[in-house]
Amino acid sequence: MKNIILFAFLLSLQVASSAQQPGSFCVSEDELALWEQINTYRLKFALDPLPLSKSLSYVAYLHVRDLYLNHPDEGDCNLHSWSDNGTWKPICFPEEQSRKNSAWKKPLELANYKGKAMEIAYYENNDALPENILEMWKMSSPSASVMVNTGKWNRYDWKAIGVAIYRGYAVAWFGDAEDAYDGIRVCNSDRMIFKKEKTEETQSAAEKSDKIPVILDPASQFYLIYGSFDNEIQAMEKAKDYKTKGFKDVAIISADRRFRIALQSFKSEEEAKDAKASFPAEFRSAWVLEF
C-alpha cells in the first residue's frame, strides 16, 4: 500500500509540473516566515525587500519534493540537480550543466518565468526550521552572496524571490525580473500576498539606510582601516555596525583578496593620524593604509 501511495504522489507531481501553476498552489506559514527573514537580512545591507513570486515559489515547491522523493543529489550530483521522474529535463549538477540544459533555466521551463534566476539550497536530516535555514545560508559565502548581492552577484538586481520547504529540504530562487503573476495564497487561510505588500519589518531599505559602498579601485588616498576580512559578508555586517556608531563615510575596500573596512579617507597621512586621535577609544587601534 505504501508503494501505491508513493507512486500516486509521484504521478501527481509530474502532472503538476507544467508552466501553468495550479490554482490551489499556496505557501506555508514556515515558507512565509523564511521569505520575511531573508528580506530582514537584506535590510541589514540596505537592500530592498523582494516580492514573493508565485512562479519562483512553484519551481521551488517542485524541486524540494523532487529532492525528497527521488534524491537526484546523489553521487557527483548536488542539491541543484533534478531527477528523471518529472516532466522537466533531468540534470545532474554540476556535471551535466550546459547551455542546452541548465539548472538555472528551470523557472522558464516550469513556470514560464522570463528572467534569469539563481537557486540556493539546504538540507538537514530533520524538519527544517526557517531560522536554521537562514543561519546556514548566512554562514555559507556562496549562498549569502546571492541573498545580498555581493561578490559576482553584485551586478544583479533581484526583483523577485520564491521559497519552499519540505521534509528537511529548502530552496530559494532569486530572479532578476518581476513575476507576471501577482498574488500567492497562504495555505490554510484566506490571506493573499501581493507584490506591493510590505510589512513594517521589511520596509524599503532606501527609506532606512544608505548602502555601504564597496571600493574596487581605491583612489590614491590614506584610509583609516579598522578590520580586515577574507569574507565580504562579514565585512559588510561589521561596516553596518560601525555606521550606526557614527562613522557615516564608512566603506569597504576590496583589494588583494581582502575586504578592509575604511572608517574614513584623507588626502594626507597627517590628516589621517589627526582624525584617528579624535576617534572613540575602541577605534583608536585603527591603522593608516595608503593606496
Side-chain angles (χ1 to χ4, degrees), residues 225-244:
I225 305 297
Y226 193 76
S228 179
F229 301 83
D230 58 8
N231 182 300
E232 186 176 354
I233 303 297
Q234 293 175 343
M236 189 69 75
E237 289 182 340
K238 283 291 186 182
K240 287 290 293 182
D241 181 46
Y242 299 158
K243 190 165 188 176
T244 63

Side-chain angles (χ1 to χ4, degrees), residues 178-197:
E178 290 189 7
D179 192 352
Y181 292 94
D182 192 8
I184 181 170
R185 187 171 63 84
V186 180
C187 301
N188 303 313
S189 76
D190 294 327
R191 183 182 176 188
M192 295 287 292
I193 305 296
F194 295 99
K195 293 179 187 177
K196 300 298 182 182
E197 181 168 333

Side-chain angles (χ1 to χ4, degrees), residues 89-116:
K89 295 179 182 178
I91 183 170
C92 171
F93 187 90
E95 183 178 326
E96 297 175 349
Q97 176 82 337
S98 68
R99 290 185 178 180
K100 291 184 177 180
N101 185 22
S102 169
W104 314 135
K105 291 183 179 179
K106 286 293 180 279
L108 177 62
E109 178 187 344
L110 299 173
N112 201 29
Y113 177 79
K114 303 299 186 182
K116 294 180 180 179

Side-chain angles (χ1 to χ4, degrees), residues 50-213:
L50 299 173
L52 187 61
S53 161
K54 183 176 182 181
S55 297
L56 294 178
S57 292
Y58 179 61
V59 176
Y61 165 93
L62 294 174
H63 197 195
V64 289
R65 283 158 177 78
D66 183 43
L67 288 167
Y68 173 72
L69 291 167
N70 303 312
H71 300 290
D73 56 321
E74 294 181 343
D76 294 329
C77 310
N78 68 21
L79 288 168
H80 300 305
S81 304
W82 293 70
S83 77
D84 58 2
N85 286 322
T87 58
W88 50 76
K89 295 179 182 178
I91 183 170
C92 171
F93 187 90
E95 183 178 326
E96 297 175 349
Q97 176 82 337
S98 68
R99 290 185 178 180
K100 291 184 177 180
N101 185 22
S102 169
W104 314 135
K105 291 183 179 179
K106 286 293 180 279
L108 177 62
E109 178 187 344
L110 299 173
N112 201 29
Y113 177 79
K114 303 299 186 182
K116 294 180 180 179
M118 172 59 58
E119 180 191 55
I120 59 177
Y122 170 94
Y123 172 71
E124 67 171 284
N125 192 25
N126 290 294
D127 287 339
L129 299 175
E131 54 269 27
N132 293 346
I133 298 166
L134 180 61
E135 283 304 312
M136 186 59 69
W137 281 341
K138 286 166 60 178
M139 291 170 58
S140 165
S141 293
S143 297
S145 293
V146 174
M147 287 194 293
V148 296
N149 296 101
T150 58
K152 67 179 181 179
W153 306 108
N154 186 54
R155 68 182 187 274
Y156 286 85
D157 182 16
W158 302 134
K159 302 291 187 183
I161 182 175
V163 298
I165 304 171
Y166 189 72
R167 302 293 180 89
Y169 290 92
V171 302
W173 281 91
F174 295 78
D176 69 355
E178 290 189 7
D179 192 352
Y181 292 94
D182 192 8
I184 181 170
R185 187 171 63 84
V186 180
C187 301
N188 303 313
S189 76
D190 294 327
R191 183 182 176 188
M192 295 287 292
I193 305 296
F194 295 99
K195 293 179 187 177
K196 300 298 182 182
E197 181 168 333
K198 292 181 181 178
T199 64
E200 182 177 352
E201 189 176 29
T202 57
Q203 291 174 11
S204 169
E207 298 169 0
K208 290 194 168 186
S209 177
D210 295 327
K211 187 175 181 179
I212 301 293

